[in-house]
Amino acid sequence: MKRIAALILLASLSTSAFALEPFVISDIRIEGLSRISAGTVFNYLQINKGDRLTNEEAQQAIRALYGTKFFSDVELERDGDILVVKVVERPSITKLTIRGNSDIKTDDLKKGLKDIGLSEGETFDRLALDRVQQELIRQYYNRGKYNVSVFPHVTQLDRNRVAIDIEIREGKVAKVKEVNIVGNTAFTDKEIEKDFETGTTNLLSWYSKNDQYSQDKLTGDLKKLQSFYMDRGYADFGIDSTQVTIAPDKRAMYIAADVIQGDIYHISDTHLLGQLILPEDTLRKLVFVKNGDLFNRAAIEATSNSIKALLANIGYAFAKVNSVPKLDKQNHTADITWYIQPGPRVYVRRVIFQGNTRTEDDVMRREMRQLEGSWYSQAAIDRSKIRLQQLGFFKTVTIDKQVVPGSDDEVDLTVKVEEQSAGSLTFGVGYSQYSGIILSSSVSQNNFLGTGDRFTIGAERSDYLTQINAGYYNPYLTDNHIGIGYNATFSKADYSDLGSQYASYSNSTKSFSTTLGFPVTDFDNLSGSLGIGSTKINTYAGYTPQVLIDYQNALGHQTVHTWTGSLSWVHDTRNSYWAPTHGGQLSATVSAALPGSTVQYWTFNGEANHYWPVGGGFVLYVDGKVAYGNTYGNKTYEFSTDDGQYLAGQKVAFPFWMNFYAGGVTDLRGFQDNTLGPRVCAGTNANGSPIVANPKSGYCADSTYSYAQPIGGAFKVLGTTELYLPLPFLKDINTARVSLFLDVGQAYTNIQSFSAKQLDASAGVSLHWQAPIGPLIISLGMPFRTQPGDSEYEERIQFTFGSQF
């Protein structure tokens, strides 16, 4: 018997290492298989019965079987004219355990290990294990942990299996003890390092992690250093060398960078060369530097980007604008030339949508401002992206362009979206000593069956309130984007058993309205509505504040019928629906109870808000709201004064059941819902006059209730400032946001009674989380400016939660 045995290393040597006489194979026998099928071996062996086996072919067969990584040893033997293939299978990994890791999640580690061939069910390769060890150490080095240790343990099991246990000892993060910029004389270290991500330990290091060394962070900081100088005239600034030294205990890092400042340069001249396409005077308006200015690389790059953006808006999607500075080192001046290469003007052939499994293509296409068959326009594409984001249907939206094969003047646009829940089944739970358990729920869908239509059904139940509402809106009833909607509401409120929390009366309301929406521009929408409603009001002598009883007595009606009309305008420039980072909203709504209603009144609601990115991932949000109501017409009634006497012909006041209130989780946080504003005592004194509350404590002597009751007012103001924080553990702001807030507001009897001294204020922290169970809002509000009697209505922790579908 002649035997041919080789390892893959030997197979790569010269053929003289084998003494094999060629022979014709009459049969092939495979030995040593337990898990791997014979068919797999034959597939890679690529030798068949009847073939003439040579030394070269034997080497190729051995090399191919080793290449599968299924075997740790391969031998070829000859038994007469039979080829015998002997293999030793690598063991399979039956269990992979990682322990000791806290800085990197186990699932993330296992995913990375699988990419390099180490996962449960795969064959075990010790070389791969060695690579894993080095890769894990590298990952921890990138996180500043230089004394990390990784210990892989392999346990042999029966049936040619192994269990792998990787023990990680992460150690402590190496802290940056010193950052030294050598050679800088023009600026202070504080000025230079102000925007660095790398720095020594300070009071905010627990949050910013600036004192943890990272090669990526250092590279970015060196680029910032170069930009800092070149934006301030130092056109020939350079970094000579960088040194990073680690202490023997691997716990401290010392960073030094040697810089060459160079000289300050001024702009001597600017030129626009190449194929300008547009008149030079037009392009010159986009040049942000002029003769005599300090050299400023940021302004030079901004010029290039602005010219490219302008050309992209008129079809030149692949325009190139390169800036070339020519330095005169003797006179310290710079001559800047922008070379413009517009490339071909291109059309958009097709717009393709991907990722929209629920949303219909037509719903997305109607938001596109870049049309098929028209010139490419980057501005139209950017606006299309924002409009898609504002729908609230998608977590992410990206728009990519691809050149059409075989054409240099056509591109296809691919709109890729990641859908998110546009509907919600939301539950709210609360409790107060007056209202008991408060339950609310709503079913809403902003993308009904993928059509973009919106509907909502909501209900609320507490000890005093039962409310049901239903609404539907189709934003694209016609091709010119006119929308139509309907809304129906029933509510029944009985405040008579709630002590002093609300004024003691009851009412029940039924209403129905229809709305038409009219888009004016991409940013502006008008809407108008007409409706009908009725409200039945019951007051109770001795329990209801006398001023409300007097109003109803003078009105002479227990049931109030109303014909309503409203007109609204909204200007929306936000860049996202769920979590905007810039842009804002302006809105104004005027509503009125039309002539023929029991009481003729009108209301105005206005709001203005804006988001500003303020650097470092922080976003500042400012919001202001105002609400005002009054009556109109010549209709008059008899109303009592504070001493209980009636005045004939007094003009009707704003109806108390339409009053505005302040306070609540979506209003002025830190206070119970609808409890701030004017308050009055219930009942009358021995003289028949209304009881007046103590101005300091809000206490009502000889009243049915101890404290004055909130009745709301015809004028309300509210202001909010929030700072959204870039928390490192909340990478996706579409999923969760944390903010610090300051709320200021109050409700007043009328606009004439407004006083800034009576404004309430609170501050705190709020979490908005699109949790798997649904939207979750938790606010911790601390009132720090209050009015007499407000302490009865403070509520520090407020929350709502729900479930999405």
Side-chain angles (χ1 to χ4, degrees):
M1 182 191 306
K2 295 184 179 179
R3 179 179 179 184
I4 307 169
L7 298 175
I8 192 168
L9 180 62
L10 297 178
S12 64
L13 299 178
S14 64
T15 57
S16 62
F18 296 93
L20 173 68
E21 294 181 4
F23 71 99
V24 176
I25 301 172
S26 62
D27 199 1
I28 301 175
R29 186 170 70 245
I30 302 174
E31 299 178 357
L33 294 178
S34 59
R35 291 181 298 104
I36 309 300
S37 67
T40 299
V41 176
F42 282 120
N43 184 57
Y44 286 97
L45 191 63
Q46 294 184 348
I47 296 175
N48 301 307
K49 291 189 296 181
D51 291 347
R52 187 172 182 272
L53 181 65
T54 64
N55 192 57
E56 291 77 8
E57 291 172 342
Q59 292 184 34
Q60 291 175 5
I62 292 173
R63 192 177 295 113
L65 292 176
Y66 268 111
T68 65
K69 298 184 179 179
F70 296 152
F71 311 108
S72 59
D73 191 18
V74 178
E75 293 182 357
L76 298 184
E77 292 184 354
R78 179 178 177 180
D79 183 5
D81 290 334
I82 298 174
L83 176 64
V84 181
V85 182
K86 293 187 175 181
V87 296
V88 177
E89 292 182 352
R90 294 184 187 275
S92 64
I93 302 172
T94 188
K95 186 176 182 181
L96 176 61
T97 305
I98 301 174
R99 54 190 173 93
N101 56 303
S102 61
D103 198 46
I104 307 177
K105 295 180 181 179
T106 299
D107 289 344
D108 293 338
L109 287 175
K110 285 189 174 182
K111 183 178 179 182
L113 299 185
K114 186 176 182 179
D115 292 340
I116 57 177
L118 194 69
S119 63
E120 293 178 358
E122 298 291 335
T123 56
F124 173 62
D125 182 357
R126 184 166 293 277
L127 291 177
L129 188 62
D130 293 339
R131 291 195 300 271
V132 165
Q133 185 176 17
Q134 297 304 316
E135 174 62 18
L136 292 178
I137 291 175
R138 186 192 66 79
Q139 290 189 33
Y140 278 98
Y141 277 11
N142 288 341
R143 288 165 170 76
K145 292 188 175 182
Y146 285 88
N147 52 356
V148 64
S149 298
V150 178
F151 301 98
H153 306 284
V154 180
T155 302
Q156 297 290 337
L157 302 176
D158 59 353
R159 300 197 304 274
N160 198 24
R161 298 176 303 155
V162 295
I164 300 175
D165 175 63
I166 300 177
E167 178 187 0
I168 300 175
R169 298 175 188 173
E170 293 183 335
K172 300 292 183 180
V173 175
K175 299 295 181 68
V176 177
K177 296 300 181 181
E178 183 178 284
V179 178
N180 188 19
I181 308 298
V182 181
N184 59 308
T185 58
F187 305 98
T188 65
D189 290 348
K190 186 176 181 180
E191 288 177 299
I192 292 175
E193 299 171 15
K194 180 178 65 174
D195 295 326
F196 279 17
E197 291 188 47
T198 305
T200 55
T201 305
N202 56 44
L203 292 176
L204 295 178
S205 294
W206 63 271
Y207 170 74
S208 65
K209 310 297 183 185
N210 69 303
D211 59 349
Q212 296 183 9
Y213 171 78
S214 165
Q215 178 62 44
D216 292 339
K217 285 200 300 184
L218 179 59
T219 300
D221 290 339
L222 293 177
K223 290 181 179 179
K224 291 178 181 178
L225 176 62
Q226 186 177 31
S227 296
F228 180 89
Y229 272 94
M230 298 189 78
D231 293 345
R232 289 163 176 78
Y234 292 87
D236 55 357
F237 172 84
I239 299 175
D240 189 40
S241 62
T242 305
Q243 301 87 35
V244 179
T245 306
I246 186 169
D249 62 358
K250 298 184 179 180
R251 296 287 301 277
M253 306 289 293
Y254 301 89
I255 300 172
D258 295 319
V259 302
I260 302 174
Q261 286 186 157
D263 299 307
I264 294 178
Y265 286 74
H266 288 79
I267 304 297
S268 60
D269 203 357
T270 59
H271 311 278
L272 296 174
L273 300 179
Q275 191 177 356
L276 303 188
I277 299 297
L278 297 172
E280 184 171 350
D281 290 345
T282 300
L283 298 177
R284 280 282 175 184
K285 295 177 182 178
L286 303 177
V287 177
F288 299 120
V289 295
K290 59 181 183 296
N291 295 354
D293 286 352
L294 276 177
F295 182 91
N296 187 320
R297 188 174 70 173
I300 295 170
E301 291 178 351
T303 298
S304 298
N305 294 333
S306 297
I307 295 175
K308 281 195 295 185
L310 179 60
L311 294 175
N313 290 340
I314 58 174
Y316 296 93
F318 303 101
K320 296 179 181 179
V321 181
N322 299 315
S323 60
V324 179
K326 183 178 180 181
L327 303 183
D328 184 340
K329 297 192 176 184
Q330 182 175 357
N331 297 312
H332 299 150
T333 60
D335 186 302
I336 312 298
T337 301
W338 287 273
Y339 291 95
I340 301 174
Q341 298 173 278
R345 194 178 189 188
V346 299
Y347 294 87
V348 173
R349 185 186 68 164
R350 295 175 57 199
V351 177
I352 305 164
F353 300 100
Q354 294 181 357
N356 53 315
T357 57
R358 292 192 296 267
T359 306
E360 296 177 359
D361 278 10
D362 287 346
V363 173
M364 300 174 64
R365 194 173 297 280
R366 67 195 185 193
E367 302 298 332
M368 295 296 296
R369 294 301 175 260
Q370 173 65 69
L371 304 179
E372 294 179 340
S374 63
W375 292 116
Y376 179 97
S377 170
Q378 189 62 51
I381 293 172
D382 293 341
R383 182 59 190 158
S384 301
K385 179 178 178 179
I386 290 176
R387 288 183 64 89
L388 288 170
Q389 290 172 335
Q390 288 178 335
L391 291 175
F393 307 162
F394 310 115
K395 187 175 182 180
T396 60
V397 178
T398 59
I399 302 179
D400 300 321
K401 61 178 181 287
Q402 304 88 27
V403 177
V404 175
S407 174
D408 62 352
D409 63 351
E410 289 183 310
V411 296
D412 288 337
L413 296 183
T414 302
V415 182
K416 299 178 182 178
V417 298
E418 180 183 352
E419 290 184 313
Q420 61 184 3
S421 297
S424 65
L425 172 61
T426 304
F427 297 95
V429 180
Y431 178 82
S432 74
Q433 66 184 93
Y434 301 104
S435 309
I437 296 177
I438 304 169
L439 299 174
S440 64
S441 65
S442 67
V443 178
S444 66
Q445 175 58 267
N446 291 333
N447 188 18
F448 182 60
L449 299 179
T451 62
D453 294 356
R454 301 192 293 269
F455 85 88
T456 180
I457 300 175
E460 183 175 344
R461 183 73 174 93
S462 68
D463 285 356
Y464 69 89
L465 177 66
T466 299
Q467 180 171 282
I468 301 173
N469 64 78
Y472 175 83
Y473 188 72
N474 176 359
Y476 285 87
L477 176 67
T478 66
D479 292 339
N480 53 357
H481 302 175
I482 293 177
I484 190 169
Y486 309 94
N487 191 75
T489 301
F490 169 78
S491 67
K492 184 177 181 181
D494 187 352
Y495 306 101
S496 58
D497 296 328
L498 297 179
S500 62
Q501 185 181 15
Y502 299 116
S504 295
Y505 70 93
S506 65
N507 67 48
S508 61
T509 300
K510 296 179 244 184
S511 66
F512 176 82
S513 64
T514 182
T515 301
L516 286 176
F518 306 89
V520 180
T521 70
D522 265 1
F523 304 95
D524 299 271
N525 284 275
L526 285 176
S527 63
S529 69
L530 291 173
I532 186 173
S534 68
T535 301
K536 184 177 181 180
I537 303 165
N538 295 306
T539 57
Y540 310 98
Y543 295 90
T544 303
Q546 191 62 37
V547 65
L548 306 188
I549 296 176
D550 291 346
Y551 187 100
Q552 188 177 33
N553 288 339
L555 197 62
H557 294 277
Q558 188 179 27
T559 301
V560 177
H561 298 283
T562 307
W563 295 92
T564 59
S566 69
L567 184 65
S568 298
W569 165 74
V570 177
H571 177 74
D572 191 348
T573 60
R574 296 173 302 168
N575 68 322
S576 177
Y577 181 84
W578 291 110
T581 57
H582 63 79
Q585 265 191 321
L586 295 174
S587 65
T589 300
V590 177
S591 300
L594 302 174
S597 301
T598 305
V599 182
Q600 297 174 188
Y601 62 86
W602 63 272
T603 62
F604 171 80
N605 286 271
E607 181 176 5
N609 59 55
H610 203 85
Y611 296 84
W612 291 275
V614 292
F618 291 89
V619 176
L620 178 65
Y621 170 69
V622 177
D623 178 71
K625 297 177 183 177
V626 62
Y628 176 63
N630 206 343
T631 55
Y632 69 95
N634 297 320
K635 203 169 186 179
T636 60
Y637 297 90
E638 292 184 346
F639 285 90
S640 65
T641 60
D642 289 343
D643 61 4
Q645 301 299 314
Y646 282 91
L647 296 176
Q650 185 78 7
K651 184 179 179 181
V652 64
F654 189 70
F656 63 84
W657 61 89
M658 293 298 298
N659 276 347
F660 304 108
Y661 292 82
V665 66
T666 59
D667 196 87
L668 207 163
R669 287 162 282 194
F671 299 93
Q672 294 179 23
D673 289 354
N674 303 331
T675 55
L676 302 182
R679 303 188 187 103
V680 295
C681 298
T684 58
N685 57 25
N687 299 325
S689 300
I691 298 172
V692 179
N694 184 300
K696 293 185 178 180
S697 65
Y699 183 75
C700 299
D702 301 324
S703 175
T704 307
Y705 304 107
S706 300
Y707 290 92
Q709 300 173 332
I711 62 170
F715 182 61
K716 173 186 172 181
V717 293
L718 178 67
T720 295
T721 299
E722 291 197 62
L723 182 65
Y724 292 98
L725 310 178
L727 300 182
F729 51 86
L730 295 178
K731 300 296 186 183
D732 185 0
I733 63 174
N734 289 295
T735 301
R737 297 182 99 176
V738 172
S739 67
L740 303 177
F741 68 81
L742 171 67
D743 292 340
V744 179
Q746 190 59 276
Y748 300 87
T749 302
N750 49 49
I751 197 169
Q752 290 79 16
S753 61
F754 171 78
S755 172
K757 294 180 180 180
Q758 296 178 4
L759 289 170
D760 281 10
S762 67
V765 61
S766 182
L767 167 67
H768 294 244
W769 181 24
Q770 296 292 327
I773 63 169
L776 173 66
I777 302 175
I778 302 176
S779 295
L780 173 62
M782 305 294 291
F784 64 88
R785 178 172 176 169
T786 60
Q787 305 303 314
D790 285 352
S791 59
E792 292 291 310
Y793 307 105
E794 292 183 7
E795 191 173 62
R796 305 295 177 85
I797 299 178
Q798 299 166 311
F799 68 92
T800 62
F801 67 90
S803 177
Q804 290 190 331
F805 65 91

